[in-house]
Amino acid sequence: MPKAALFMGSKSDFASLEGCVRVLKSFGIDTTVRVASAHRTPQVVAEFAAGARANGYEVILAAAGKAAHLAGVIAGHTTLPVIGIPVKSSFMDGLDSLLSTVQMPTGIPVATVAVGGGDNAAYLCAQILSIKYPEIARKLAEHREQMAAGIARDDAAVAEQARTL
Ligand code: RP5
């Protein structure tokens, strides 16, 4: 079974990550969800990340706000792919979180999604795992077809709405 971990820096981040958890579940990805902080509980983060590959994890997602070093610290302790999710913070609308997550030194990348982009982090996780798991590849293709069908419906509906104005 595909195995991932989703870390968040604070319980206050969880509300913005429910969609992420739902998408991961929809692809059958067994996800360990943890609250741990690069600053408040650095040893917990370091120990998990250092042992993640040996413990069967394949991708790690990490969400944090403000001085959002969580994904970067995890990436420094593992060679697994790390997906960073900048959480929208109260003072700079998440620009602080985005820059803290994405501006990594050469050699230690964090694949960073948009501010509040938890759902896309889960889709990216599924895409990475699809290399190994054909069932995830199948579900991704199905999801793309469903999205295209939705857009085709919207296309027709908006054209009709415009015609009647
Ligand atoms: C970050 O600080 C967390 O990821 C959170 O987004 C932010 C604020 O945390 P709390 O003060 O709400 O616990 O480390």
Side-chain angles (χ1 to χ4, degrees), residues 8-13 37 39-40 63-68 70 87:
M8 65 198 78
S10 167
K11 188 183 171 193
S12 66
D13 298 326
S37 163
H39 308 109
R40 292 167 174 158
K66 297 182 178 172
L70 184 58
V87 172

Side-chain angles (χ1 to χ4, degrees), residues 13 42 51 73 77 148:
D13 298 326
V73 168
H77 287 282

